[in-house]
Amino acid sequence: MAAPNKSLSTALNARTIGSGNETIVLSHGFGTDQSIWYKIIPLLAENYSLVLFDWPFSGAVKDKNIYDHAKYTSYEPYADDLITLLDEMNLKDVTFIGHSMSAMIGCIASTKRPELIKRLILVTASPRYINIDDYIGGFEKSDIEQLISTIESHHEKWVSVYPSIAVDPNDAVSVDKFQNCLKNMDAEVAASLAKAVFYSDYRKILENVETPCTIIQSSNDVAVPLSVGHYLEKKIKGVSTLEFIDMTGHFPQLTAHLKLVEVLKGVVGIGSAAE
């Protein structure tokens, strides 16, 4: 945990970029840090106030003791961290953009403190990765078990191979970007985090999410099949819309950033930020 005299927002490298009446929180996902948004930051900072931070698992967080393996076994502690961060920064009524695991974290936080988040934008989100009954999450349990085993036993090999699976392999710069983020993350943390993410099941939380949502899915994402986007749209209680970006991979902020920004500006609107 962070030292008593050190705020969580400081420990998580929270910062604000840009200006505007509209505040957008950019929350990164598995294995990355806030730098994963580098392509879209200058395009959004012209009109909006952007809040960025690093999750405790991130290699960019200097205090390695902040990641407690016994604590971060589910998304709930992350949601509590998000709430604490927003409170410390005196923020409410924000637009929360959550990539990958952060999407579900934002959903959980919105059910706990609805006044903090007025709009959820869920980017390549999944409430569950493992297939079960009539739900298609994209993986069999044995697939996930093999993935975890590889992270634990052959971490360096996993770091060298996984990025070209998760990111469009034709975009070498973006593959390298994700790979460098993975390299910066502690090997034991990577294994612990992977278990929390890939064994998660947050389908039931969706019926409690009343905050308006925009679901942004990749048209070809090995981690999140198209059916998951339709599932989210159907199960989320609040008003939700589904947008597909024609691209390959799990990282539209890297490989299809102009398309992503176009969708984001269409959802948030520029007028409210520039008034």
Side-chain angles (χ1 to χ4, degrees):
M1 294 179 65
N5 61 343
K6 187 176 184 180
S7 69
L8 183 65
S9 56
T10 300
L12 299 184
N13 305 320
R15 60 191 178 119
T16 303
I17 301 175
S19 61
N21 296 328
E22 189 84 14
T23 298
I24 298 177
V25 177
L26 294 168
S27 183
H28 69 86
F30 174 83
T32 63
D33 56 52
Q34 62 178 269
S35 70
I36 206 73
W37 303 104
Y38 80 102
K39 285 186 177 180
I40 74 171
I41 288 172
L43 301 178
L44 294 178
E46 297 175 351
N47 301 103
Y48 310 106
S49 178
L50 306 180
V51 174
L52 297 107
F53 68 97
D54 299 307
W55 286 119
F57 59 75
S58 165
V61 171
K62 294 180 180 179
D63 182 2
K64 301 308 178 184
N65 292 322
I66 199 170
Y67 184 87
D68 183 344
H69 289 266
K71 174 183 177 182
Y72 293 105
T73 57
S74 68
Y75 289 171
E76 280 78 3
Y78 292 103
D80 291 338
D81 284 351
L82 174 62
I83 290 168
T84 298
L85 185 146
L86 295 177
D87 282 342
E88 286 183 358
M89 299 182 76
N90 196 29
L91 295 172
K92 61 181 180 179
D93 291 327
V94 305
T95 292
F96 179 84
I97 301 178
H99 175 240
S100 195
M101 64 179 285
S102 277
M104 289 299 103
I105 293 169
C107 286
I108 296 168
S110 76
T111 66
K112 292 186 174 186
R113 292 281 299 281
E115 78 279 7
L116 296 180
I117 302 173
K118 71 175 182 180
R119 182 188 293 111
L120 288 163
I121 299 180
L122 315 179
V123 181
T124 58
S126 178
R128 179 186 170 102
Y129 293 91
I130 299 176
N131 303 330
I132 184 172
D133 300 328
D134 59 348
Y135 174 81
I136 305 300
F139 300 93
E140 296 299 327
K141 187 177 181 181
S142 58
D143 298 330
I144 298 303
E145 290 172 345
Q146 181 60 49
L147 173 64
I148 303 297
S149 176
T150 301
I151 296 173
E152 291 178 327
S153 305
H154 306 284
H155 181 258
E156 290 186 7
K157 179 181 179 181
W158 171 72
V159 169
S160 68
V161 173
Y162 184 64
S164 60
I165 297 174
V167 183
D168 185 349
N170 295 313
D171 186 346
V173 173
S174 294
V175 170
D176 287 345
K177 175 62 180 174
F178 182 39
Q179 187 174 67
N180 287 332
C181 287
L182 290 181
K183 286 180 179 178
N184 291 334
M185 187 170 60
D186 179 81
E188 291 185 2
V189 171
S192 173
L193 178 64
K195 291 175 184 176
V197 171
F198 292 108
Y199 287 131
S200 66
D201 188 349
Y202 286 96
R203 291 175 297 164
K204 288 186 177 180
I205 196 71
L206 301 177
E207 61 191 25
N208 297 324
V209 177
E210 299 185 5
T211 302
C213 292
T214 299
I215 304 152
I216 302 176
Q217 298 290 106
S218 163
S219 62
N220 183 17
D221 183 353
V222 67
V224 184
L226 298 178
S227 58
V228 171
H230 293 291
Y231 183 89
L232 288 169
E233 183 184 28
K234 179 181 178 181
K235 295 296 184 178
I236 287 173
K237 184 176 182 179
V239 176
S240 62
T241 56
L242 176 60
E243 301 274 355
F244 285 106
I245 293 179
D246 185 15
M247 58 164 284
T248 296
H250 192 62
F251 291 83
Q253 67 270 59
L254 291 180
T255 58
H257 69 286
L258 294 179
K259 294 178 181 178
L260 177 61
V261 168
E262 183 180 355
V263 174
L264 295 178
K265 287 186 175 181
V267 173
V268 181
I270 296 178
S272 62
E275 287 175 356

